[in-house]
Amino acid sequence: MNYIALKMLMGDRGKYLGIVMGLTFASLIMTQQPAIFVGLMMRSYSFVTDVGLPDVWVMDSKVQFVDDIKPLQDTKLFRVRGVSGVDWAMPLYKGLIKARLADGTFQTCNVIGLDDATLIGGPPVMLEGRLEDLRRADSVIVDIDGARDKLAKPPKEPGGKPVPLKVGDTLELNDRRAVVVGIAKTTRTFQSQPVVYTTYSRATLYAPRERKLLSFVLVKAKPGQDIHALTRRIRETTGLAAYTQTEFEELTVNYFLKNTGIPINFGMSVTLGFIVGAAIAGQTFYNFTLENIRQFGVLKAMGAGNGTLLGMILLQATLVGAIGYGLGVGLTSLFGWSMRNTILAFKLPWQLLVFSGLGVTLICVFAALLSIRKVIKLEPAIVFKG
């Protein structure tokens, strides 16, 4: 009976392909769009992930997400260092500063100022140069994406490709000279701005003059110290906000979820993909059943019970669902691979595969139920009519 069910399904190539394409479209949309959404959300806190080393991030209590900088007085650093359980605490500057390029244009950069002595908070991977080179005069390290794109030098010939920024080149940050001593690999940020690393003291010179310039205090707990207990002590002692890396990432993601239209936009795309896929697959599968209703009637007249016919329909639905799901996920993976070196955010964790699989399963169940209802009510006598 399974062989007959498959022959019936594939006998009408047009409807068979129509069902598969509808499920492929639904699977593609329900996998690709959430993958882009997850990629965007992960970029929102990519800076926190890149730093990695500190156990606790200390900041102003009004900070809502990682780029919502509310500077602190430098004296706060010493108060944090005095809290019991703190192994070390280092300053970190983070701010947006305009860079003047070789052709006279300006580009806003994400400038990161590291502790002069330890350079804690530096880029995760150095491609050229060394992190220690930041101790040279006027030195900066630029991320590879910014060096190739937004900070690149003008093309040598009209219409040519921009020349990537390289070690030894110079630029101006707030009218001060900066010499590139290294190229680093960093995770793209949410706004995809170039990232420039320098020392804390030099960053405060590049930054516009303000009374407060300390963005964050990076804290490492003593061995064996409970991290959550330490964050509570820092809050109680200093009056500042203190978060673990995971808590700071969640704070940032929650801000974007609550205060932007990103979840709504992607949610509508996924919902429309599900509805369109369900409509195409359900209607086509139902029409397929109607066209084969006499065959089902013959099988019923020959003694096949409703359970057997139900199994045949479920087999057909499972087959087209598996093919459509596989094609959709495959196309999504191919899309993500082809966009790996572009500015597009894309992340495909296994949870999204489960999510889209459940969505395709619901569509298949919906399509099968439409057909099952028709077949169960079928009278074998229909074979002898007309």
Side-chain angles (χ1 to χ4, degrees):
M1 297 301 288
N2 290 341
Y3 175 76
I4 295 174
L6 296 180
K7 290 290 289 183
M8 291 171 59
L9 175 65
M10 300 180 184
D12 190 336
R13 293 290 179 86
K15 286 187 172 53
Y16 169 66
L17 293 176
I19 298 172
V20 170
M21 291 305 295
L23 293 172
T24 299
F25 173 79
S27 175
L28 174 64
I29 297 298
M30 288 189 294
T31 309
Q32 181 212 44
Q33 292 296 301
I36 296 175
F37 172 74
V38 171
L40 283 173
M41 291 299 99
M42 293 185 68
R43 280 191 182 181
S44 68
Y45 59 78
S46 62
F47 172 69
V48 180
T49 306
D50 281 353
V51 174
L53 185 60
D55 296 319
V56 180
W57 289 70
V58 181
M59 64 206 74
D60 187 275
S61 59
K62 301 300 182 182
V63 169
Q64 301 179 77
F65 62 104
V66 67
D67 292 320
D68 182 31
I69 307 298
K70 293 179 172 59
L72 307 170
Q73 291 180 344
D74 289 343
T75 54
K76 297 294 185 181
L77 173 63
F78 303 105
R79 294 195 62 186
V80 174
R81 285 175 173 172
V83 176
S84 174
V86 172
D87 189 13
W88 50 255
M90 300 300 169
L92 183 76
Y93 172 85
K94 184 176 187 293
L96 298 178
I97 299 177
K98 288 186 178 180
R100 189 174 186 273
L101 308 183
D103 60 354
T105 60
F106 289 86
Q107 171 62 51
T108 301
C109 298
N110 211 342
V111 176
I112 310 300
L114 314 178
D115 176 62
D116 293 50
T118 62
L119 299 179
I120 287 175
V125 179
M126 289 296 298
L127 302 178
E128 297 180 41
R130 303 177 306 157
L131 183 61
E132 294 78 11
D133 293 336
L134 282 181
R135 296 193 175 99
R136 298 181 186 176
D138 302 326
S139 58
V140 296
I141 293 174
V142 180
D143 76 296
I144 184 65
D145 295 315
R148 289 175 177 174
D149 185 16
K150 296 181 179 180
L151 295 180
K153 294 180 289 186
K156 296 180 179 179
E157 299 177 358
K161 293 183 178 180
V163 180
L165 205 64
K166 62 182 185 299
V167 173
D169 290 338
T170 62
L171 46 82
E172 291 183 11
L173 291 172
N174 200 14
D175 295 328
R176 291 180 179 270
R177 180 173 178 265
V179 181
V180 178
V181 297
I183 304 295
K185 177 62 178 176
T186 63
T187 307
R188 287 185 183 269
T189 61
F190 185 81
Q191 297 174 339
S192 296
Q193 293 164 330
V195 181
V196 178
Y197 290 89
T198 188
T199 60
Y200 182 82
S201 59
R202 195 174 300 122
T204 57
L205 296 177
Y206 291 145
R209 297 310 304 163
E210 295 183 27
R211 189 167 58 90
K212 302 177 182 179
L213 289 172
L214 178 62
S215 304
F216 300 104
V217 177
L218 306 181
V219 174
K220 187 71 174 178
K222 289 183 177 179
Q225 174 67 48
D226 181 80
I227 305 299
H228 295 286
L230 178 59
T231 58
R232 287 195 298 270
R233 279 201 300 274
I234 293 175
R235 293 190 194 106
E236 294 169 358
T237 304
T238 65
L240 302 174
Y243 303 103
T244 64
Q245 177 176 320
T246 302
E247 290 172 344
F248 197 18
E249 292 171 356
E250 291 176 351
L251 178 73
T252 299
V253 171
N254 289 335
Y255 173 84
F256 282 95
L257 292 179
K258 295 177 181 177
N259 297 282
T260 69
I262 296 176
I264 297 175
N265 293 335
F266 281 96
M268 290 180 63
S269 298
V270 173
T271 302
L272 288 175
F274 177 84
I275 293 174
V276 171
I280 295 175
Q283 181 65 33
T284 308
F285 200 74
Y286 183 72
N287 289 339
F288 160 80
T289 303
L290 289 180
E291 291 189 0
N292 290 276
I293 198 68
R294 296 181 69 84
Q295 285 84 339
F296 283 113
V298 169
L299 294 174
K300 220 171 188 182
M302 293 172 63
N306 286 333
T308 302
L309 300 181
L310 174 63
M312 294 174 65
I313 293 175
L314 291 178
L315 174 63
Q316 294 169 341
T318 301
L319 178 63
V320 294
I323 295 174
Y325 172 73
L327 289 174
V329 170
L331 290 173
T332 300
S333 301
L334 181 61
F335 171 82
W337 179 83
S338 64
M339 296 289 109
R340 67 190 185 284
N341 294 323
T342 67
I343 199 172
L344 180 71
F346 186 90
K347 186 69 175 180
L348 186 59
W350 64 268
Q351 291 90 339
L352 287 188
L353 301 180
V354 176
F355 170 76
S356 61
L358 291 175
V360 172
T361 300
L362 288 176
I363 293 175
C364 292
V365 169
F366 167 72
L369 287 176
L370 293 177
S371 300
I372 288 171
R373 181 174 176 275
K374 187 70 176 178
V375 171
I376 288 180
K377 291 185 176 181
L378 175 66
E379 292 293 335
I382 192 174
V383 179
F384 308 103
K385 292 182 180 180

